[in-house]
Amino acid sequence: MKQYLLLSLIGVILFTGCDNSKKDQKGTFVGGQIMNPYNPYFILSKDNKTIDTLFLDQNNQFGKKFENLESGIYSFKHPPENQIMYLEPGDSVLVWLNTMQFDESLNFSGPGAAKSSFLLEMFLNNERNNNLMLSYYKINPSDFAGITDSIKNTRKNKLKDLNAKKKFSKSFITLANNSIDYDFYHLRERYTFLVKKYYNELAQQIPDDFHDYRKDLNFNATQLKEYYGYLNFIEDYLRTRSIERCLEKFDTNSDCFELHSVANINYRINLADSLIEKDEIKNIFINRLAIQGLVFSSNAEKIDSIVGILEKIEFKGKNLPDLKQMANIQKNLLPGNNIGDLELVNFKDEIVPLKDVSKKPIVTYHWSMEAPEHFKWQHSIISNLRKKYPELEFVGINIDENSKQSWKNTVEIYAMDKDREYKLNSPGINMNLLMNYLNKLIFLDTNGNIFNGEAQLNTPNFERQILEFLND
């Protein structure tokens, strides 16, 4: 199939003149084929701005020559999935993927594709390393340092060998080396946080030079702001520094690891505000941290405190109105409030108030087609909970803005219970904000009063919260 793609698109490539012998051309060709597509389009973007939407033809292929693309990392999306690629003038990159295994099947080919392939390989290796961290952080710091040094050196050597064959541009070599470095720093920061939280004895063994890289950090590398590894590093660095500062002031028995406390959120927001000068990077983290603080606020005072932090640093990010709306959403979801009149749409296109969905106490869970792995995992757990707690009604609420037909198709494809699945009917709410509530469940009595708005499926005390709800 990939060979067919190359043959069918090669005429387009030649027509546009994007071949390897004319790298001095300004044009950049992007094309490809998507097997088992979710939808009929491929979206290319940079800096969170859509450059173009390319529609698939009858063979699920797409392609276009762009005249003025600058060198750098680009994002592409085939909703709900997304990835990154590296493009330069003169490149002619073909993308092939199968949505059944999006990242694992993704393949780049054509002149200039080796750069994107290298970044993809690092992404997949990072995913594997993230899983290995569950065992890595239990070893002593010296051994962990050796492992991370080896990972870094292997990648540097891989890049050097590829460059000898492909003759990469200086700009890509610089970016690739920086991305390797920040992936390395990210591993060190994650390890530091985990051992300080779970293995204080190991934390005491961290050598003095373990964090030597910190003196060379650049929090304003705008050329890396599309690179997930760089953003992950900054997020983990802010978290680790907040813990270290707290432990220096107090002790290991304190609440230093309460990452969603107002004190912790306040420190991390102020640290981001002081370290990061570039607004396009700074605002990413202030926005993330404010959302974390709001979503996990258990009372109105904490919610007002988070908004107060933003006002104190005079945050003027474009997401500020959304954050204030989110503060109001969170206040409405606090225990004691009533959301029984919340309008839902059932599978028959009827509008139904939440309180009328069932005569049983209700537990709502929320999902989006933008997060397929999440809703598959979520529905598997909910299915078991329904059998275990038949006295409760577990109600699924889809939060997506797209058509009801897409929602219905998803419900049917994944064999969800149609009678227990609903779509939110609240056009005044920014649905993107609700993505932050996908892990949360809301416990309601038969009148629509909120008993618990903080429950999460992935926490150890979740079923204890169910029992408290039933025994209330």
Side-chain angles (χ1 to χ4, degrees):
M1 184 61 69
K2 296 177 187 177
Q3 287 79 7
Y4 172 72
L5 168 64
L6 289 171
L7 290 172
S8 62
L9 288 178
I10 194 169
V12 180
I13 298 172
L14 291 174
F15 176 76
T16 58
C18 296
D19 59 51
N20 204 29
S21 64
K22 298 182 180 180
K23 287 294 287 182
D24 60 336
Q25 293 186 140
K26 294 183 179 180
T28 307
F29 182 84
V30 178
Q33 185 175 40
I34 300 176
M35 307 303 297
N36 303 305
Y38 292 124
N39 46 66
Y41 48 86
F42 172 100
I43 303 170
L44 185 67
S45 64
K46 187 171 179 58
D47 301 337
N48 291 319
K49 296 178 181 177
T50 297
I51 293 172
D52 207 342
T53 299
L54 308 182
F55 288 89
L56 310 187
D57 64 15
Q58 65 273 18
N59 297 314
N60 297 329
Q61 297 177 5
F62 60 93
K64 181 176 179 178
K65 180 182 177 181
F66 297 89
E67 296 296 339
N68 299 302
L69 293 188
E70 62 183 28
S71 298
I73 295 178
Y74 289 77
S75 297
F76 66 87
K77 179 183 286 190
H78 179 66
E81 307 281 6
N82 63 85
Q83 251 302 347
I84 62 172
M85 61 197 305
Y86 191 93
L87 297 173
E88 292 179 311
D91 284 350
S92 180
V93 180
L94 300 180
V95 180
W96 188 94
L97 63 89
N98 188 329
T99 61
M100 302 300 287
Q101 287 187 304
F102 190 92
D103 293 320
E104 293 76 9
S105 69
L106 182 57
N107 179 274
F108 298 100
S109 59
K115 301 184 290 288
S116 297
S117 296
F118 180 79
L119 294 179
L120 174 63
E121 182 179 352
M122 288 216 301
F123 170 82
L124 295 174
N125 286 334
N126 287 340
E127 291 287 289
R128 288 188 281 269
N129 288 337
N130 285 338
N131 294 330
L132 287 173
M133 278 295 292
L134 296 176
S135 58
Y136 278 174
Y137 79 89
K138 299 175 184 178
I139 66 177
N140 70 63
S142 296
D143 288 342
F144 183 82
I147 291 172
T148 52
D149 284 339
S150 176
I151 290 172
K152 179 181 177 181
N153 291 334
T154 298
R155 294 185 180 186
K156 293 277 187 177
N157 290 332
K158 171 78 171 179
L159 178 62
K160 184 178 179 180
D161 291 342
L162 273 174
N163 186 43
K165 298 176 183 177
K166 301 294 183 179
K167 306 299 181 186
F168 293 136
S169 64
K170 289 183 179 180
S171 60
F172 177 73
I173 289 295
T174 299
L175 181 138
N177 274 306
N178 285 336
S179 62
I180 292 170
D181 290 338
Y182 282 98
D183 284 338
F184 166 78
Y185 305 156
H186 180 222
L187 288 172
R188 292 282 179 107
E189 294 297 332
R190 285 195 66 197
Y191 175 84
T192 302
F193 172 78
L194 291 170
V195 295
K196 285 182 180 291
K197 182 173 184 178
Y198 298 109
Y199 292 96
N200 188 53
E201 183 178 339
L202 287 177
Q204 302 305 314
Q205 300 174 34
I206 294 178
D208 293 338
D209 62 353
F210 192 82
H211 298 113
D212 274 359
Y213 59 85
R214 284 182 175 177
K215 61 180 179 289
D216 298 318
L217 298 175
N218 180 2
F219 294 96
N220 298 288
T222 53
Q223 73 276 16
L224 288 172
K225 67 179 181 291
E226 299 269 352
Y227 183 65
Y228 44 82
Y230 179 64
L231 300 181
N232 288 342
F233 158 73
I234 294 179
E235 184 166 21
D236 270 19
Y237 176 84
L238 296 173
R239 179 180 66 176
T240 306
R241 289 299 298 130
S242 72
I243 299 306
E244 290 175 341
R245 172 184 173 275
C246 183
L247 291 176
E248 288 168 4
K249 291 181 62 177
F250 302 104
D251 56 53
T252 54
N253 295 319
S254 68
D255 294 329
C256 289
F257 293 93
E258 291 293 329
L259 296 177
H260 301 122
S261 69
V262 172
N264 187 283
I265 294 293
N266 179 54
Y267 178 76
R268 282 191 281 167
I269 285 179
N270 279 280
L271 185 59
D273 188 45
S274 64
L275 289 176
I276 308 172
E277 297 176 359
K278 299 293 185 180
D279 286 342
E280 62 263 46
I281 299 177
K282 177 190 294 190
N283 291 348
I284 291 172
F285 294 97
I286 293 180
N287 186 64
R288 284 184 185 180
L289 290 166
I291 287 173
Q292 289 177 31
L294 292 171
V295 168
F296 290 95
S297 290
S298 55
N299 56 56
E301 182 181 0
K302 289 184 178 180
I303 294 171
D304 290 338
S305 295
I306 300 298
V307 175
I309 294 168
L310 298 176
E311 292 174 346
K312 189 173 182 179
I313 66 168
E314 299 181 347
F315 179 59
K316 296 182 175 62
K318 66 179 182 179
N319 293 325
L320 183 59
D322 289 340
L323 293 173
K324 289 185 175 180
Q325 185 183 52
M326 193 165 182
N328 291 327
I329 291 173
Q330 183 63 20
K331 284 183 178 180
N332 289 330
L333 296 179
L334 294 176
N337 288 336
N338 187 295
I339 57 170
D341 291 328
L342 184 69
E343 291 186 349
L344 306 176
V345 179
N346 65 18
F347 220 72
K348 299 176 182 178
D349 293 330
E350 300 168 335
I351 295 179
V352 184
L354 176 57
K355 65 184 178 183
D356 293 344
V357 164
S358 175
K359 294 181 179 179
K360 302 177 184 178
I362 290 173
V363 177
T364 68
Y365 58 95
H366 320 98
W367 61 277
S368 167
M369 288 176 277
E370 294 286 315
E373 293 305 316
H374 179 272
F375 75 65
K376 286 185 281 187
W377 164 81
Q378 178 190 53
H379 280 76
S380 174
I381 295 176
I382 292 295
S383 178
N384 292 327
L385 290 173
R386 281 180 174 140
K387 297 173 184 176
K388 194 170 183 179
Y389 301 101
E391 59 269 58
L392 296 176
E393 189 67 69
F394 290 86
V395 176
I397 301 178
N398 176 263
I399 64 168
D400 295 310
E401 288 183 298
N402 46 2
S403 72
K404 287 185 285 188
Q405 192 57 51
S406 297
W407 160 65
K408 290 181 180 180
N409 291 343
T410 303
V411 169
E412 290 180 332
I413 289 171
Y414 290 97
M416 301 177 190
D417 189 334
K418 296 179 184 178
D419 294 331
R420 291 165 163 168
E421 293 292 338
Y422 295 80
K423 187 169 179 60
L424 187 62
N425 186 48
S426 297
I429 298 178
N430 182 340
M431 297 301 176
N432 289 328
L433 298 178
L434 300 182
M435 291 289 288
N436 299 291
Y437 289 89
L438 295 187
N439 284 327
K440 281 197 159 191
L441 294 91
I442 301 174
F443 296 2
L444 305 162
D445 66 19
T446 53
N447 295 316
N449 297 307
I450 298 175
F451 175 82
N452 183 346
E454 296 186 286
Q456 295 186 75
L457 278 180
N458 57 346
T459 55
N461 66 343
F462 174 66
E463 292 204 48
R464 177 177 60 79
Q465 291 177 293
I466 288 182
L467 295 175
E468 290 175 353
F469 180 42
L470 289 172
N471 294 325
D472 181 66

